[in-house]
């Protein structure tokens, strides 16, 4: 048995990736490490806030995926990492980092993690959360307006300008790299039980 089980959870913005991730983590509290692609947005200290607001955050180039690959490989080798922290309120990487140590199950979560073949190759299981576009936009509005202090107009404009076209160009095609496709994510109890049983079997070996 490998020392670590690497599970990738991808899907469109608002699909339920985080809900699924958190449900798995809550079942295996002491055995799960979570690493999220959002924390690997590139730093843009050279730009003004207004310039950062206009960036396309749904394109693969928005992320420092090479650093994430390096960090995931380190975790897989039993090493701790200093993970960057992203601050949505300023659209930039924070000056802080957080220490992440590997546990037996490592979950990698993000909208575009299956777009990178090198990142996919580090994963043992790749799960794509497939949720209707109408549901995803409603969830995104609620999240960004309430949790991230964004205006409704800015959220809608971003969705139409970048989120929707980038989903169609990059996120949806990356679904072909998944081993498992889960409709409705954490709300799919049957799929949730199957995933939990797989992890339990792995941990009991």
């Amino acid at each position: 048995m490998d020392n670590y089980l690497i599970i990738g959870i991808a899907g469109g913005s608002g699909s339920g990736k985080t809900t699924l991730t958190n449900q798995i983590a809550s079942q295996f509290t002491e055995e799960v490490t979570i690493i999220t692609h959002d924390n690997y947005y590139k730093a843009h200290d050279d730009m003004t806030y207004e310039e950062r607001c206009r960036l396309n955050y749904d394109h693969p180039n928005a992320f420092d995926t090479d650093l994430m690959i390096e960090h995931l490989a380190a975790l897989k080798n039993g090493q701790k990492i200093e993970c960057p922290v992203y601050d949505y309120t300023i659209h930039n990487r924070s000056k802080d980092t957080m220490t992440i140590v590997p546990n037996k199950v490592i979950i990698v979560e993000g909208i575009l993690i299956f777009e990178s073949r090198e990142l996919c190759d580090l994963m043992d299981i790749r799960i794509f959360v497939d949720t209707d576009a109408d549901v995803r936009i409603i969830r995104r509005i609620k999240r960004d307006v309430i949790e991230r202090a964004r205006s409704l107009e800015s959220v809608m404009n971003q969705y139409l300008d970048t989120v929707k076209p980038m989903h169609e160009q990059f996120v949806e095609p990356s679904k072909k790299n998944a081993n498992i496709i889960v409709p409705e994510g954490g709300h799919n109890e049957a799929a949730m039980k199957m995933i939990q049983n797989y992890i339990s079997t792995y941990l009991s070996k």
Side-chain angles (χ1 to χ4, degrees):
M1 182 180 78
D2 292 338
N3 290 331
Y4 302 99
L5 176 67
I6 315 292
I7 301 174
I9 299 179
S13 177
S15 61
K17 300 181 304 299
T18 304
T19 300
L20 181 61
T21 299
N22 290 340
Q23 285 186 352
I24 294 171
S26 68
Q27 290 292 317
F28 305 97
T29 312
E30 300 300 321
E31 287 100 354
V32 172
T33 291
I34 299 171
I35 178 171
T36 175
H37 206 193
D38 280 10
N39 276 327
Y40 288 84
Y41 276 122
K42 291 176 180 175
H44 292 289
D45 297 331
D46 56 325
M47 293 184 177
T48 65
Y49 173 79
E50 288 72 22
E51 288 172 329
R52 294 196 299 270
C53 286
R54 292 193 291 269
L55 291 174
N56 181 351
Y57 290 97
D58 293 86
H59 191 283
N61 290 342
F63 298 89
D64 189 352
T65 301
D66 288 342
L67 179 60
M68 189 183 210
I69 290 167
E70 180 185 317
H71 279 180
L72 185 56
L75 289 171
K76 201 167 185 177
N77 286 326
Q79 303 163 6
K80 68 180 181 180
I81 62 166
E82 288 300 320
C83 178
V85 175
Y86 191 77
D87 186 343
Y88 295 97
T89 62
I90 60 170
H91 295 296
N92 203 9
R93 197 179 281 186
S94 165
K95 301 301 181 188
D96 299 324
T97 60
M98 56 183 170
T99 303
I100 295 179
V101 297
N103 281 302
K104 292 179 181 178
V105 178
I106 300 171
I107 298 177
V108 188
E109 185 253 339
I111 61 171
L112 286 165
I113 58 172
F114 294 169
E115 196 272 336
S116 164
R117 169 49 59 188
E118 195 174 351
L119 197 52
C120 282
D121 288 344
L122 289 169
M123 302 172 195
D124 299 298
I125 306 173
R126 295 182 295 277
I127 302 169
F128 189 93
V129 180
D130 203 11
T131 302
D132 184 80
D134 290 342
V135 175
R136 288 190 286 105
I137 180 57
I138 290 168
R139 288 177 182 167
R140 185 180 176 102
I141 289 169
K142 289 172 68 177
R143 181 197 69 192
D144 285 1
V145 171
I146 296 170
E147 296 177 19
R148 299 179 182 174
R150 302 267 306 279
S151 70
L152 177 60
E153 183 181 11
S154 73
V155 175
M156 293 301 297
N157 287 341
Q158 185 183 25
Y159 180 79
L160 294 172
D161 292 344
T162 60
V163 177
K164 186 175 185 290
M166 293 301 99
H167 178 89
E168 293 169 351
Q169 185 176 351
F170 296 107
V171 182
E172 190 67 23
S174 78
K175 184 163 64 175
K176 69 181 185 295
N177 295 323
N179 307 115
I180 303 167
I181 295 174
V182 177
E184 299 301 327
H187 302 284
N188 188 325
E189 292 185 11
M192 191 69 227
K193 287 177 182 175
M194 288 176 62
I195 295 165
Q196 289 171 345
N197 287 339
Y198 184 92
I199 295 171
S200 294
T201 301
Y202 170 83
L203 292 172
S204 65
K205 289 180 181 177

